[in-house]
């Protein structure tokens, strides 16, 4: 079964990043018009999906006017005038960072003193932050953060947009903004991207500095772009990557290389099964097969490759994440009674993890890396499901796999945690719609710092198909 | 190896400076039980002979 390209829901709507830059260059629109339109669209999207914590109207309009002048006088930068959303665990100077919580810091809604490195880099490239986007509480809570409530999925408002970069994905899916910044600790860029029909990149650990991002788990956390296409994700990643001198995990990188060829001759892909597919809906598996077929048709070769310990990546990954999260949140332990109860329940697991088990988990991380090395000795990429199902149903956040209902946390990160625990990059790519009308997604996992290979394969796939152009009916 | 009972986990949490209610203790106990099979497997498994004992290897793997 090839996932459907549904008639009537293809494109229209505002342009993506690449097309928007082309429209500016051609004089078809201006940053002032585009930012005004983004702010209007965000208000509408927020009314429908609850995706926005704060609009950055005044700041964005001033930046748009400056951008328009740069386009007029020939000094436009690489992302000049592109509006973007910012998950509200990432600082924007002069704007409060709520972390989706009543309990952030000791100074309430005080504005951030400086922008996070990632925001600063996008701004220095000309892009314009227009919103602080809803997040699950502290990027680890459930679908119903007490302060701001659930973010509904533009594909089906009875479902959750996914998380933790929940408002960012909903806003991009609703075509209110062409891209956004999220963070990913167990799949928090890739999962909402998958459930909202978007292209989301979790880069190699350390490739993008986390300075100015509220931490959840230092071992597993990355910042990543949420976009509508691989070509847009590439533009954003090119600007975001590289050391900032402050994040100790961020070290100098070689230039990003993404082949421009329209074919994939010479690309070797492994398609592991096991834990990646044993709990996975038929429509998702069909999407993976469809992606593989297209990559092969473009010249790629399928080679053997399995990750024998992949099934333990989820429980052991959570052990690392929650132990580190419990450590970070101990300073506020006297206020946990006003946290999202889901945050408390999840990170409390980490309180009682013995040190010897936490350290064994970090040793397991190395073992998993060795298993990936064995796969990548013969393959350039692995292709796996991004997540086992279409978007979770509200209010409980359950997912349905082949007609059977499963709790959210037993299912959602089965294929994504591997990348967080090892540090390997993963790119979520939409592969069509399931029979329930919601998007399905596959993930391209690459060796460390080979994001360019995943972006290349995804771009070629998207040049051959239309899935990434499909918009929710409400957005067209 | 069996998982400690909820009251033992609650006492440990309190000793470490966390105040958790009964519901949370029940949830964290269930989570520990849920992860125990995988965790026990790791405890029992010898480390590979290629240096995985030092978790710094995990950081080195992602360094360009």
């Amino acid at each position: 079964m090839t996932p459907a390209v549904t008639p009537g829901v293809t494109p229209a709507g505002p342009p993506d990043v690449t097309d928007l830059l082309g429209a500016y260059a051609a004089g078809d629109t201006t940053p002032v018009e585009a930012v005004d339109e983004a702010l209007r669209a965000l208000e509408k999207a927020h009314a429908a999906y609850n995706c926005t914590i704060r609009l950055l109207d005044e700041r964005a309009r001033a930046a748009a006017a400056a951008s328009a002048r740069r386009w007029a006088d020939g000094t436009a930068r690489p992302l000049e005038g592109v509006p973007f959303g910012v998950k509200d665990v990432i600082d924007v100077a002069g704007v409060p960072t709520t972390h989706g919580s009543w309990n952030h810091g000791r100074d309430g809604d005080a504005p951030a003193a400086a922008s996070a490195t990632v925001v600063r880099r996008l701004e220095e490239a000309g892009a314009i932050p227009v919103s602080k986007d809803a997040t699950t509480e502290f990027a680890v809570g459930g679908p119903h953060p007490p302060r701001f409530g659930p973010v509904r999925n533009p594909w089906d408002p009875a479902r959750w947009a996914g998380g933790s970069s929940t408002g960012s994905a909903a806003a991009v899916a609703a075509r209110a903004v062409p891209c956004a910044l999220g963070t990913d600790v167990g799949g928090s860029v890739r999962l909402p991207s998958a459930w909202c029909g978007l292209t989301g990149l979790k880069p190699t650990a350390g490739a993008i500095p986390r300075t100015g991002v509220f931490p959840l788990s230092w071992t597993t956390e990355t910042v990543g772009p949420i976009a509508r296409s691989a070509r847009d994700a590439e533009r954003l990643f090119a600007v975001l990557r590289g050391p900032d001198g402050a994040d100790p995990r961020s070290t100098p990188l070689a230039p990003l290389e993404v082949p421009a060829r329209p074919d994939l001759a010479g690309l070797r892909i492994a398609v592991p099964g096991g834990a990646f597919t044993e709990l996975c809906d038929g429509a998702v598996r069909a999407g993976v097969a469809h992606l593989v077929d297209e990559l092969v048709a473009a010249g790629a070769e399928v080679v053997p490759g399995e990750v024998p310990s992949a099934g333990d990546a989820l429980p052991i990954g959570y052990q690392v994440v929650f132990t580190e999260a419990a450590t970070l949140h101990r300073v506020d332990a006297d206020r946990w009674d006003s946290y999202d109860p889901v945050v408390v329940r999840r990170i409390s697991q980490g309180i009682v993890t013995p040190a010897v088990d936490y350290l064994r988990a970090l040793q397991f991380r190395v073992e998993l890396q060795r298993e990936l090395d064995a796969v990548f000795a013969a393959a350039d990429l692995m292709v796996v499901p991004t997540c086992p199902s279409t978007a979770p149903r509200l209010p409980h956040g359950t997912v349905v796999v082949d007609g059977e209902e499963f709790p959210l946390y037993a299912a959602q990160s089965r294929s994504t945690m591997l990348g967080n625990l090892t540090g390997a990059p993963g790119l979520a790519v939409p592969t069509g719609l399931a029979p329930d009308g919601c998007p399905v997604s596959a993930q391209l996992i690459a060796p460390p710092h080979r994001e360019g290979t995943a972006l290349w394969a995804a771009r070629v796939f998207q040049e051959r198909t239309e899935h990434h152009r499909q918009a929710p009916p409400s957005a067209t | 190896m069996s998982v400690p009972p909820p009251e033992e986990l609650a006492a440990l949490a309190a000793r470490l400076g966390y105040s958790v209610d009964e519901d949370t203790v029940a949830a964290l106990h269930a989570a520990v039980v849920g992860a125990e099979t995988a965790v026990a497997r790791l405890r029992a498994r010898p480390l590979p002979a290629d240096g995985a004992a030092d978790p710094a290897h995990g950081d080195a793997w992602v360094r360009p």
Side-chain angles (χ1 to χ4, degrees), chain A residues 16-17 82-87 90 122 133-134 161-175 177-184 187-203 208 223-230 232-234 236-237 240 427-428:
Chain A
D16 68 0
V17 172
V82 173
F84 68 99
V86 182
K87 180 181 182 180
I90 302 173
L122 290 184
D133 305 328
S164 60
S165 307
T166 184
S168 301
V172 178
R175 286 4 186 204
V177 285
C179 59
L181 288 172
T183 59
D184 192 315
S188 289
V189 161
R190 291 160 291 165
L191 296 170
S193 293
W195 285 328
C196 290
L198 302 171
T199 303
L201 174 66
K202 186 216 83 84
I208 295 178
V223 182
I226 296 174
R228 281 162 45 189
S229 62
D232 283 3
E234 177 186 335
L236 296 162
F237 181 54
L240 293 167
L427 181 67

Side-chain angles (χ1 to χ4, degrees), chain A residues 53 86-92 96-101 116 118-119 132-140 164-165 168 181-184 210-216 221-223:
Chain A
I53 287 178
V86 182
K87 180 181 182 180
D88 205 19
V89 294
I90 302 173
D91 286 344
V92 175
T97 308
T98 70
H99 315 131
S101 178
V118 285
V119 171
K132 296 304 293 286
D133 305 328
T135 173
T136 62
E137 191 176 82
F138 299 117
V140 69
S164 60
S165 307
S168 301
L181 288 172
T183 59
D184 192 315
R210 301 158 301 171
T211 311
V213 179
F214 186 76
L216 174 62
E221 189 158 56
T222 62
V223 182

